């Protein structure tokens, strides 16, 4: 472990030692450079590119960086040298093409563009007036040349500044920087042509990438100008449509300073930051990001970071793992072959190649004239340079410059053909024209569009997505990991190879960038008032609701036939449930009913066997047998409430219950009336004697039963019971039960039974003072009192229970009331018959009555 740490420290020091060595051997010629260089040609194209920069401060050299001063007195941006390479490559291709501009050679005048408007306008004016030692007046010198058009960029400000002069002369100007709507204003820039087409799909592509990785909380850094405001509106619209929130918006000031610490506030709120702008407007920002080593951010950009400072010589890099959107273009093998042939001896007019060869390939300058000597490394080539110094692959700007040169060439070619048709040239005569004449041909090419002529590449709405591999620092690889095409079908616009992506050092997997943690299955989002929609809290779904997706806005209610599982992420089919015989409760109630009916049958057998005894014959023997048989049916009718209900059992339940209990209560009422009549009949002249003789109490049973049958008939005709489902009483179950149909009818039947019970109780209560030997009125009254209490208690309990427990409650009331009638009326008689047979004789009754009379005489 200790050895590994020492090794890492030594590796970190190597770049410093190496750079100190280079700095010590740099020649003073490295810091001497002109502002322009030129290549001869019959027709000349002006090129205004920002390659190096002067700053008017004291020259304080950096401690170890070879081409960087602490006060930035002179700084080369060799990354932009690829613009010159693309220009030379296109010109040489055209000059070697016999079918395009035959007998006419293209040349160029290069002018370095500084960041001050004064220097930029001065270079443009010098070129327009051909204010050079060798050429005093344009088109009037020993080497006659024609100026055609100017290439300007990379920022819109440079093109706009130069355009103010060129517009006065209608001089053609082709801008290779990012598209800008201001430069498309024909009233201000009628002769300016933008090589990059207008495309509104970039914001859509970036937002699609953000959606793909589920980044819902991102930051925006944009230039503080009209383009920044426009793209901000586009981003807001796209993100709002896709449900993405903006954590912050940072507008880059026009003058960037490293002291804007407040600019970096709230930067830690998100892991993903979108940076949009052009190379020039983002230069200060990129430098500041590189210096801060922000290795925990995923930068999504539309331009490649171009930072050439101390960050380039450390292992860590702020931009490692960044994602870049670039216009799609086909890589040209010819361009790579051309790069390998470029050297300062082949192009002696070039002012930058000697600097590169001296700096990286150990070439020396002569002491006089700063001429590069031929003592360089063998096989020196630009493609050997580190990518962070010079990336020779075709970029957006390189492709635009290549296309611009071809656009000028084709315009000249068409103009020459038109001139030949109107007036043929004499032998050896070159093309003659004014620059403003090219405008009509350039506009025709722009309309035919868009850069689809032979030999040129086309920029369209398709973007390549590049991933920066820059660990260790200096690797500088840009790997294509996907693409975005706005013209592709919906859902197929974005294509990614996630396995190839290298993320920043802080992340071992796909980074997360959310304001709130995702709500899992079984939860839903609840937006907090005053916060963005992406900042929310998670709350569990309500009962019987589920969510089976992440970050659900609403939970979905399960159908009535289903219920939510414990995790509330799936609806399960409810099991059909009813009071079955297999249930412990149903089994217990059925057993009680069968046992009670068996007991009643046993009592009937006892009474049949002892039907001649006084106890059985007393109080109307026939009514006792009717009551016992009816009670048997009362016990058995409870079985219709157990088991899976159907239409027949639902109707049978209520009718058998109502009729059976009506017969039982009517019989008890008849017995009570019989007792009263029996004792009142001993008084002569009473009407009760006729009632006793005519057996009038026996008619009570059919009359009362008929009334109940009428009630039940009306009930069944109007609103009969039916099968119903209770899906709420028991979780996870659908309770099948018999709905009463008409609640009024059910309560009328039950009220009629209570009325009979109350009437029988009153009659039995009236006969309570009669002699005890033949009087069962006390037992009748007590049994009816229990019956009445059971059913009065039943009503509130019945309405407060649900499901099969409601059915069980009704069965229990039936069994309890039937048991009360059986036990209190026939229990004492069975006790005498079975356990006290000596008291069940006529002699015992006669002696008991005789002793009672003697006691009354003595009193």
């Amino acid at each position: 472990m200790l050895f590994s740490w020492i090794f890492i420290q030594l590796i970190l020091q190597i770049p410093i030692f190496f750079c100190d060595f280079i700095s010590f051997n740099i020649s003073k010629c490295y810091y001497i450079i002109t502002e322009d260089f030129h290549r001869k040609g019959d027709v000349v194209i002006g090129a205004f590119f920002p390659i190096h920069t002067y700053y008017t401060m004291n020259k304080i050299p950096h401690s170890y960086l070879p081409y960087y001063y602490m006060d930035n007195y002179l700084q080369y941006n060799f990354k932009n040298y690829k613009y010159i390479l693309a220009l030379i490559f296109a010109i040489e291709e055209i000059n070697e093409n016999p079918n395009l501009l035959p007998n006419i050679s293209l040349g160029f005048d290069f002018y370095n563009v500084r960041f001050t408007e004064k220097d930029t306008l001065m270079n443009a004016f010098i070129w327009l007036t051909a204010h050079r030692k060798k050429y005093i007046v344009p088109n009037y010198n020993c080497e006659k040349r024609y100026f055609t058009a100017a290439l300007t960029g990379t920022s819109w400000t440079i093109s706009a500044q130069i355009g103010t002069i060129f517009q006065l002369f209608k001089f053609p100007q082709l801008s290779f920087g990012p598209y800008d709507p201001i430069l498309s204003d024909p009233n201000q820039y009628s002769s300016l042509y933008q090589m990059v087409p207008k495309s509104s799909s970039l914001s859509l592509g970036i937002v699609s990438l953000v959606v793909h990785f589920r980044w819902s909380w991102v930051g925006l850094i944009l230039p503080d100008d009209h383009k920044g405001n426009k793209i901000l509106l586009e981003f807001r619209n796209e993100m709002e449509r896709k449900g993405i929130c903006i954590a912050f918006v940072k507008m880059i000031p026009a003058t960037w300073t490293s002291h804007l610490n407040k600019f970096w506030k709230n930067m830690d709120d998100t892991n993903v930051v979108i940076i949009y702008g052009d190379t020039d407007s983002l230069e200060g920002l990129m430098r500041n990001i590189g210096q801060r080593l922000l290795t925990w951010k995923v930068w999504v950009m539309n331009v490649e970071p171009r930072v050439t400072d101390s960050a380039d010589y450390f292992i860590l890099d702020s931009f490692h793992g960044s994602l870049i959107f670039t216009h799609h273009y086909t890589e040209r093998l010819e361009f790579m072959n051309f790069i390998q042939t470029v050297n300062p001896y082949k192009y002696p007019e070039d002012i930058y190649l000697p600097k590169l060869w001296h700096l990286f390939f150990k070439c020396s300058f002569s002491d006089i004239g700063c001429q590069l000597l031929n003592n360089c490394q063998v096989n020196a080539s630009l493609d050997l340079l580190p990518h962070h110094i010079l990336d020779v692959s075709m970029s957006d700007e390189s492709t635009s410059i290549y296309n611009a040169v071809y656009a000028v060439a084709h315009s000249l070619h068409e103009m020459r053909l038109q001139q030949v048709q109107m007036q043929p040239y004499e032998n050896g005569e070159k093309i003659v024209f004014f620059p403003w004449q090219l405008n009509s041909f350039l506009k025709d090419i722009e309309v035919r569009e868009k850069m689809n002529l032979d030999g040129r590449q086309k920029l369209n709405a398709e973007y390549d997505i590049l991933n920066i591999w820059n660990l260790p620092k200096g690797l500088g690889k840009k790997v294509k990991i996907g693409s975005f095409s706005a013209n592709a079908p919906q859902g197929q616009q974005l294509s990614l190879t996630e396995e190839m992506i290298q993320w920043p050092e802080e992340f071992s997997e796909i980074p997360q960038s959310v304001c709130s943690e995702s709500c899992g299955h079984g939860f839903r989002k609840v937006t907090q008032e005053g916060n963005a929609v992406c900042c929310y809290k998670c709350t569990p779904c309500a009962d019987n609701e589920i969510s089976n997706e992440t970050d659900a806005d609403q939970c979905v209610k399960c159908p009535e036939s289903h219920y939510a599982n414990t995790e509330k992420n799936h609806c399960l089919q409810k099991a059909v449930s009813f009071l079955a015989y297999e249930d412990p409760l149903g089994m217990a109630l059925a057993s009680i009913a069968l046992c009670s009916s068996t007991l009643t049958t046993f009592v009937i057998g006892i009474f049949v066997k002892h039907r001649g005894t006084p106890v059985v014959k007393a109080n109307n023997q026939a009514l006792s047998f009717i009551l016992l048989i009816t009670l048997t049916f009362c016990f058995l009718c409870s079985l219709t409430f157990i088991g899976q209900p159907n239409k027949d059992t639902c109707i049978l339940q209520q009718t058998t219950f109502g009729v059976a209990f009506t017969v039982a209560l009517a019989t008890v009422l008849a017995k009570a009336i019989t007792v009263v009549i029996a004792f009142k009949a001993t008084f002569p002249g009473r009407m009760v004697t006729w009632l006793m003789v005519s057996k009038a109490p026996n008619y009570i049973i059919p009359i009362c039963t008929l009334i109940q049958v009428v009630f039940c008939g009306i009930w069944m005709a109007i609103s009969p019971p039916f099968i119903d489902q209770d899906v709420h009483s028991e979780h996870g179950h659908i309770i099948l039960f018999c709905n009463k149909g008409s609640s009024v009818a059910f309560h009328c039947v039950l009220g009629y039974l209570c009325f009979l019970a109350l009437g029988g109780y009153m009659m039995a209560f009236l006969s309570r003072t009669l002699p005890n030997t033949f009087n069962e009125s006390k037992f009748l009254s007590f049994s009816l009192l229990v019956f009445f209490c059971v059913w009065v208690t039943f009503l509130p309990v019945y309405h407060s229970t649900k499901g099969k427990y409601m059915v069980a409650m009704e069965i229990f009331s039936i069994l309890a009331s039937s048991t009360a009638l059986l036990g209190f009326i026939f229990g004492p008689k069975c006790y005498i018959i079975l356990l006290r047979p000596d008291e069940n004789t006529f002699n015992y009754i006669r002696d008991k009555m005789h002793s009672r009379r003697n006691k009354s005489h003595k009193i």
Side-chain angles (χ1 to χ4, degrees):
M1 185 69 180
L2 179 61
F3 174 77
S4 300
W5 176 250
I6 295 174
F7 178 75
I8 292 174
Q9 292 296 320
L10 290 175
I11 290 296
L12 288 173
Q13 298 301 320
I14 287 176
I16 299 178
F17 299 148
F18 176 73
C19 293
D20 286 339
F21 174 77
I22 292 180
S23 178
F24 180 78
N25 289 278
I26 289 181
S27 169
K28 64 178 181 180
C29 295
Y30 179 83
Y31 304 108
I32 300 175
I33 192 168
T34 60
E35 292 297 301
D36 55 359
F37 69 91
H38 313 273
R39 185 172 181 177
K40 295 181 181 180
D42 299 324
V43 179
V44 178
I45 298 176
F48 297 84
F49 304 153
I51 308 297
H52 65 270
T53 304
Y54 283 103
Y55 292 91
T56 57
M57 296 183 181
N58 296 325
K59 293 189 290 184
I60 304 175
H62 197 278
S63 59
Y64 58 84
L65 292 182
Y67 53 91
Y68 183 79
Y69 279 82
M70 294 299 291
D71 59 353
N72 291 336
Y73 180 80
L74 171 63
Q75 180 179 348
Y76 292 102
N77 189 356
F78 288 127
K79 283 193 174 184
N80 288 352
Y81 183 71
K82 67 171 64 177
Y83 304 158
I84 297 178
L85 294 175
L87 174 66
I88 298 174
F89 174 65
I91 288 178
E92 289 189 355
E93 259 193 355
I94 294 171
N95 289 339
E96 294 172 1
N97 187 352
N99 298 319
L100 185 60
L101 292 178
N103 301 322
I104 296 177
S105 63
L106 286 180
F108 67 86
D109 291 338
F110 166 79
Y111 288 88
N112 181 64
V113 175
R114 303 183 187 180
F115 290 100
T116 60
E117 183 177 2
K118 175 183 176 182
D119 295 331
T120 301
L121 294 177
M122 182 179 296
N123 284 337
F125 182 77
I126 290 175
W127 185 67
L128 278 177
T129 59
H131 187 62
R132 302 174 58 211
K133 295 179 181 178
K134 199 172 183 179
Y135 310 106
I136 305 301
V137 181
N139 301 333
Y140 291 94
N141 48 65
C142 56
E143 292 187 28
K144 195 171 185 180
R145 308 186 315 156
Y146 289 94
F147 296 162
T148 54
L151 305 182
T152 61
T154 56
S155 68
W156 73 273
T157 54
I158 294 176
S159 297
Q161 290 168 3
I162 297 177
T164 56
I165 294 180
F166 287 177
Q167 173 67 16
L168 300 175
F169 306 97
K170 304 298 181 183
F171 198 94
Q173 178 185 354
L174 293 89
S175 172
F176 61 89
Y179 179 86
D180 192 284
I182 288 183
L183 301 181
S184 296
D185 186 357
N187 296 324
Q188 296 186 42
Y189 309 103
S190 60
S191 59
L192 191 150
Y193 308 94
Q194 298 191 71
M195 301 310 299
V196 177
K198 179 181 180 181
S199 175
S200 59
S201 61
L202 179 59
S203 58
L204 175 61
I206 294 178
V207 172
S208 298
L209 178 75
V210 171
V211 171
H212 175 82
F213 288 115
R214 300 180 180 273
W215 295 331
S216 60
W217 189 242
V218 299
L220 283 178
I221 300 181
L222 310 170
D224 191 10
D225 55 19
H226 64 284
K227 290 182 67 176
N229 294 327
K230 183 177 182 298
I231 197 66
L232 175 60
L233 181 60
E234 293 181 9
F235 273 123
R236 285 191 187 277
N237 294 336
E238 288 293 337
M239 289 182 176
E240 183 177 353
R241 195 164 58 90
K242 297 291 185 179
I244 301 170
C245 300
I246 300 177
F248 57 80
V249 177
K250 304 286 187 179
M251 305 303 289
I252 305 172
T255 302
W256 178 269
T257 64
S258 59
H259 302 291
L260 291 177
N261 291 326
K262 63 179 182 180
F263 181 87
W264 300 102
K265 289 183 179 179
N266 306 323
M267 194 67 70
D268 292 333
D269 290 351
T270 177
N271 292 328
V272 178
V273 179
I274 299 172
I275 300 178
Y276 178 89
D278 55 45
T279 303
D280 295 335
S281 65
L282 298 178
E283 181 180 2
L285 172 69
M286 297 296 188
R287 185 180 305 281
N288 206 282
I289 291 176
Q291 292 171 347
R292 288 175 178 268
L293 281 179
L294 302 177
T295 59
W296 57 91
K297 297 292 182 188
V298 178
W299 309 102
V300 182
M301 302 175 285
N302 71 315
V303 295
E304 177 189 352
R306 300 180 179 180
V307 180
T308 54
D309 56 15
S310 58
D312 289 329
Y313 297 93
F314 289 98
I315 288 180
L316 299 180
D317 175 34
S318 297
F319 296 102
H320 173 70
S322 299
L323 301 173
I324 306 174
F325 278 73
T326 63
H327 283 283
H328 173 74
Y329 52 85
T330 305
E331 194 68 39
R332 298 183 65 90
L333 181 61
E334 298 87 350
F335 182 71
M336 298 306 298
N337 295 334
F338 163 77
I339 291 295
Q340 295 174 359
T341 66
V342 173
N343 60 71
Y345 310 105
K346 182 180 179 181
Y347 302 102
E349 71 278 3
D350 195 303
I351 59 177
Y352 297 107
L353 286 176
K355 316 298 182 185
L356 289 168
W357 252 248
H358 171 70
L359 188 63
F360 295 102
F361 302 124
K362 299 181 180 180
C363 296
S364 302
F365 289 103
S366 62
D367 295 334
I368 301 175
C370 287
Q371 297 297 318
L372 191 69
L373 301 178
N374 193 6
N375 59 350
C376 308
Q377 289 181 348
V378 181
N379 298 326
S381 176
L382 290 177
D383 61 342
L384 299 178
L385 296 181
H387 288 197
H388 69 277
I389 300 297
L390 176 61
D391 186 359
V392 295
S393 61
M394 292 287 281
S395 63
D396 288 353
E397 294 85 357
S398 300
T399 304
S400 297
I401 292 172
Y402 180 86
N403 289 339
V405 175
Y406 264 93
V408 173
H410 279 283
S411 299
L412 287 171
H413 188 77
E414 291 186 12
M415 185 174 65
R416 186 168 186 267
L417 291 177
Q418 189 179 89
Q419 290 179 352
V420 168
Q421 292 174 357
M422 296 177 61
Q423 183 178 359
Y425 290 109
E426 297 181 1
N427 291 335
E429 187 176 354
K430 300 293 184 179
I431 185 172
V432 179
F433 69 97
F434 293 100
W436 56 265
Q437 291 178 293
L438 281 179
N439 285 322
S440 59
F441 297 95
L442 285 171
K443 289 178 179 178
D444 290 341
I445 291 180
E446 189 177 37
V447 170
R448 287 202 310 244
E449 185 80 32
K450 222 92 162 152
M451 307 306 138
N452 206 20
L453 295 174
D454 295 338
R456 288 182 294 140
Q457 302 185 63
K458 183 179 180 181
L459 293 174
N460 50 33
E462 185 173 354
Y463 292 90
D464 289 335
I465 304 175
L466 308 180
N467 182 219
I468 296 181
W469 293 5
N470 207 21
L471 185 65
K473 185 70 175 179
L475 179 63
K477 291 191 66 177
K478 293 180 296 182
V479 180
K480 180 179 177 181
I481 51 91
S483 62
F484 176 82
S485 178
N487 300 325
Q490 192 71 23
Q492 303 177 17
Q493 295 175 324
L494 183 67
S495 174
L496 287 176
T497 306
E498 295 186 18
E499 298 79 11
M500 296 182 61
I501 301 178
Q502 289 191 9
W503 299 107
E505 297 85 42
E506 297 293 326
F507 304 105
S508 58
E509 56 184 10
I510 298 177
Q512 299 295 315
S513 187
V514 295
C515 179
S516 302
E517 290 297 326
S518 297
C519 295
H521 296 181
F523 292 83
R524 66 180 180 91
K525 298 189 299 184
V526 177
T527 305
Q528 297 174 323
E529 187 177 356
N531 293 339
V533 295
C534 300
C535 300
Y536 49 80
K537 64 178 181 179
C538 301
T539 184
C541 292
D543 292 340
N544 211 37
E545 291 185 352
I546 66 164
S547 67
N548 52 10
E549 60 182 15
T550 305
D551 290 337
D553 293 319
Q554 295 293 334
C555 296
V556 180
K557 191 174 183 63
C558 289
E560 293 290 341
S561 58
H562 292 70
Y563 69 98
N565 60 352
T566 306
E567 294 78 15
K568 294 185 177 181
N569 60 359
H570 190 66
C571 290
L572 303 177
Q573 179 75 40
K574 288 183 177 180
V576 176
S577 178
F578 48 86
L579 187 59
Y581 290 101
E582 294 79 9
D583 291 341
L585 181 59
M587 188 179 298
L589 293 174
S591 299
I592 294 173
L594 292 175
C595 292
S596 299
S597 61
T598 302
L599 179 62
T600 307
T601 305
F602 179 71
V603 173
I604 292 175
I606 293 175
F607 269 55
V608 171
K609 183 177 180 180
H610 300 85
R611 60 184 177 275
T613 59
V615 173
V616 175
K617 295 177 68 175
N619 303 112
N620 199 326
Q621 180 178 342
L623 292 178
S624 296
F625 281 109
I626 293 174
L627 180 57
L628 286 170
I629 294 172
T630 304
L631 288 177
T632 303
F633 283 104
C634 288
F635 284 119
L636 293 177
C637 78
S638 63
L639 298 178
T640 60
F641 291 84
I642 305 175
Q644 184 171 354
N646 54 60
K647 182 179 179 181
D648 297 332
T649 56
C650 287
I651 294 176
L652 191 62
Q653 285 176 4
Q654 305 306 324
T655 54
T656 54
F657 160 70
V659 174
F661 270 90
T662 300
V663 174
L665 293 176
T667 303
V668 174
L669 177 62
K671 289 175 70 66
I673 293 176
T674 299
V675 172
V676 174
I677 292 176
F679 283 93
K680 295 295 183 181
T682 56
F683 299 95
R686 298 280 183 168
M687 184 179 180
V688 292
T689 305
W690 176 83
L691 294 175
M692 193 67 182
V693 175
S694 62
K695 299 181 179 182
N698 294 338
Y699 294 103
I700 294 175
I701 298 174
I703 293 173
C704 293
T705 303
L706 180 62
I707 295 173
Q708 186 69 286
V709 169
V710 172
F711 279 148
C712 291
I714 296 174
W715 181 8
M716 297 302 120
I718 296 177
S719 180
F722 58 89
I723 302 175
D724 201 356
Q725 296 181 351
D726 183 2
V727 297
H728 304 292
S729 298
E730 190 173 345
H731 180 70
H733 291 81
I734 299 176
I735 306 298
L736 295 180
F737 68 99
C738 291
N739 192 301
K740 298 299 186 290
S742 174
S743 179
V744 175
F746 171 72
H747 287 88
C748 287
V749 169
L750 197 60
Y752 181 67
L753 294 178
C754 291
F755 171 75
L756 292 178
L758 185 60
Y761 173 77
M762 293 178 61
M763 295 302 298
F765 183 79
L766 293 176
S767 60
R768 70 187 185 284
T769 57
L770 298 178
N772 293 332
T773 303
F774 298 97
N775 188 7
E776 59 180 356
S777 298
K778 292 181 180 179
F779 303 116
L780 293 176
S781 60
F782 194 72
S783 64
L784 291 174
L785 180 62
V786 173
F787 181 93
F788 184 80
C789 292
V790 167
W791 287 102
V792 169
T793 307
F794 162 79
L795 288 175
V797 178
Y798 177 81
H799 289 293
S800 62
T801 55
K802 299 292 182 182
K804 58 184 179 182
Y805 297 103
M806 180 177 65
V807 179
M809 185 61 203
E810 190 169 358
I811 296 174
F812 175 78
S813 299
I814 292 173
L815 296 177
S817 57
S818 300
T819 303
L821 294 177
L822 176 64
F824 291 117
I825 295 177
F826 296 100
K829 294 183 179 182
C830 290
Y831 172 76
I832 293 175
I833 294 172
L834 298 177
L835 301 180
R836 304 296 294 271
D838 54 316
E839 296 181 5
N840 191 19
T841 60
F842 288 104
N843 293 330
Y844 174 79
I845 295 173
R846 190 182 303 110
D847 293 342
K848 188 176 182 178
M849 293 179 63
H850 181 71
S851 62
R852 185 183 297 144
R853 290 194 192 97
N854 292 335
K855 289 180 181 180
S856 62
H857 288 311
K858 290 178 180 180
I859 294 173

